[in-house]
């Protein structure tokens, strides 16, 4: 009965989630991302919201995903996962752990949430239209307008007003905790409806985990290759930004994915959300494994850059020190006759 009652509140829960996410958006962060590293920002967002859906769509449209996963709902869920943006905060946290450009990753989180609220529902509707997805694009866009976009905008205005007020760390912590509670409530409602009266087949879930992991690893490799195409002169800055690209572009937010599927299928979205949740879990595990080796590589490049800068400086200091301590009279080629005469006359007077 609790699950049935909560199912009626799925739209208000989604709206509450994006109201809270909007409150965390910061206009200053977005400006910094565009002004300081706009090429990287454009590349990350294009990889996340253009290239990834474009790569997954042929596999979905031809039925290869459905055959590989053994389920049409899983194929729809993985396709929608490819249409959503990067995470709201975990990508920046892993970028920091891997010694990457934290500011760039955090800024692209904000940009991704804004773009995703507008672009992701349209991408999902376009991908599923005419392929048996059973989604009315007009109805989906209308639903996402009042459950995702409008709350996000209202939350952004509220967050801007909040940042102008005196800081209240306890209130901010309470809001973040409440955000997790709302997301957990959404997942609870959807999973209650998904597995009501039936048990999950372990073999089917194992195949799903394998396909999701392979998809993420392929996108991870593609992100690293694409990041090499973005121009950057300084070697260390380039590597730090490539790390931010790696930890940001191929990862996907579970919140918006669940929200889009909830807007599409309502309380029947349970099975569809499994790929979203599993993809998020896989990307967290992979990122945690990569942090150590990537951080050591960044440290090695930083040390090499420091040593290459230090050697010429030390050489210049040694030369200038030697020149300062060297007396003109000590070198016969540089000796001044007038100075020698003055010195000898002073010696004569003294004697």
């Amino acid at each position: 009965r609790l699950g049935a009652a909560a199912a009626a509140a799925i739209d208000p829960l989604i709206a509450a989630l994006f109201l809270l996410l909007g409150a965390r958006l910061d206009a200053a962060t977005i400006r910094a991302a565009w002004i300081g590293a706009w090429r990287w920002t454009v590349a990350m967002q294009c990889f996340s919201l253009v290239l990834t859906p474009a790569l997954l769509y042929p596999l979905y449209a031809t039925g290869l995903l459905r055959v590989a996963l053994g389920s049409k709902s899983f194929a729809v869920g993985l396709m929608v996962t490819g249409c959503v943006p990067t995470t709201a905060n975990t990508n920046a946290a892993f970028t920091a752990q891997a010694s990457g450009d934290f500011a760039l990753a955090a800024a692209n989180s904000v940009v991704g949430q804004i773009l995703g609220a507008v672009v992701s529902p349209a991408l999902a509707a376009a991908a599923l239209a005419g392929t048996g997805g059973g989604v009315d694009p007009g109805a989906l866009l209308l639903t996402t307008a009042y459950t995702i976009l409008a709350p996000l905008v209202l939350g952004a205005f509220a967050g801007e007003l909040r940042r102008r007020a005196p800081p209240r760390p306890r209130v901010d912590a309470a809001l973040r905790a409440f955000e997790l509670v709302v997301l957990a409530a959404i997942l609870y409602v959807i999973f209650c409806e998904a597995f009501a009266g039936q048990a999950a087949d372990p073999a089917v879930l194992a195949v799903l985990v394998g396909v999701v992991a392979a998809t993420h690893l392929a996108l991870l490799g593609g992100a690293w290759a694409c990041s090499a195409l973005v121009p950057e002169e300084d070697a260390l800055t380039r590597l730090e930004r490539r790390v931010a690209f790696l930890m940001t572009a191929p990862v996907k937010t579970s919140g918006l994915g669940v929200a889009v599927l909830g807007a599409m299928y309502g309380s029947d979205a349970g099975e569809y959300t499994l790929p979203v949740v599993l993809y998020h879990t896989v990307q967290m595990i992979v990122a945690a494994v990569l942090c150590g080796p990537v951080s050591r590589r960044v440290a090695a490049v930083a040390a090499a850059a420091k040593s290459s800068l230090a050697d010429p400086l030390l050489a210049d200091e040694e030369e200038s020190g030697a020149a300062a301590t060297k007396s003109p009279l000590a070198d016969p080629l540089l000796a001044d006759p007038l100075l020698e005469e003055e010195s000898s006359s002073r010696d004569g007077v003294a004697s």
Side-chain angles (χ1 to χ4, degrees):
R1 283 201 299 263
L2 180 59
I10 186 69
D11 285 349
L13 285 172
I14 292 173
L17 175 64
F18 279 88
L19 185 69
L20 294 167
L21 288 174
R24 290 202 282 136
L25 300 180
D26 187 357
T29 306
I30 301 172
R31 286 194 298 269
W34 184 255
I35 295 172
W38 65 269
R39 290 185 181 89
W40 292 91
T41 299
V42 170
M44 286 187 197
Q45 299 305 324
C46 285
F47 186 95
S48 180
L49 294 173
V50 178
L51 184 59
T52 300
L55 291 174
L56 285 176
Y57 179 74
L59 301 177
Y60 173 78
T62 57
L64 291 177
L65 275 183
R66 184 175 66 252
V67 172
L69 294 169
S71 168
K72 175 184 171 182
S73 58
F74 289 167
V76 170
L78 189 55
M79 183 67 243
V80 172
T81 302
C83 296
V84 299
T86 188
T87 58
N89 47 38
T90 55
N91 67 305
F94 281 118
T95 298
Q97 290 295 318
S99 302
D101 192 330
F102 171 80
L104 180 63
N108 273 272
S109 294
V110 177
V111 174
Q113 300 311 303
I114 295 173
L115 291 177
V118 179
V119 174
S120 295
L123 283 175
L128 301 181
T131 59
V135 177
D136 180 3
L140 174 62
L141 294 177
L142 179 63
T143 303
T144 53
Y146 70 81
T147 59
I148 295 176
L149 186 57
L152 191 74
V153 172
L154 290 175
F157 278 112
E160 200 63 32
L161 294 175
R162 175 71 188 87
R163 278 183 285 276
R164 295 179 183 178
R168 295 181 179 178
R170 290 184 179 180
V171 174
D172 295 338
L175 288 174
R176 285 194 293 269
F178 184 61
E179 180 184 318
L180 295 176
V181 170
V182 171
L183 180 58
I186 294 172
L187 292 174
Y188 167 76
V189 170
I190 289 174
F191 277 104
C192 281
E193 294 296 325
F195 300 108
Q198 59 179 344
D201 186 350
V204 173
L205 290 179
V207 171
L208 176 60
V209 171
V211 173
V212 167
T215 302
H216 178 61
L217 291 175
L219 291 176
L220 206 67
W224 184 250
C226 289
S227 68
L229 304 177
V230 185
E232 186 69 54
E233 292 183 3
D234 182 70
L236 179 58
T237 302
R238 184 170 185 266
L239 179 57
E240 290 172 344
R241 290 180 173 177
R242 288 189 72 188
V243 171
F245 197 113
L246 182 71
M247 296 293 178
T248 299
V251 304
K252 299 294 181 178
T253 177
S254 59
L256 185 56
V258 169
V260 170
L261 288 167
M264 287 178 173
Y265 303 106
S267 59
D268 297 326
E271 255 187 79
Y272 296 92
T273 62
L274 275 178
V276 179
V277 177
L278 285 175
Y279 190 96
H280 189 271
T281 304
V282 168
Q283 73 190 16
M284 297 273 284
I285 295 172
V286 172
V289 171
L290 287 176
C291 278
V294 172
S295 180
R296 287 191 291 272
R297 179 173 178 179
V298 174
V301 172
K306 185 177 180 180
S307 63
S308 66
L309 289 174
D311 290 341
L313 293 175
L314 289 175
D316 291 342
E317 288 179 0
E318 289 175 359
E319 290 178 3
S320 61
T325 56
K326 187 176 182 181
S327 171
L329 296 176
D331 190 342
L333 297 177
L334 296 176
D336 190 340
L338 295 177
L339 291 175
E340 290 181 352
E341 290 177 3
E342 289 180 3
S343 177
S344 59
S345 64
R346 283 195 300 268
D347 294 340
V349 171
S351 62

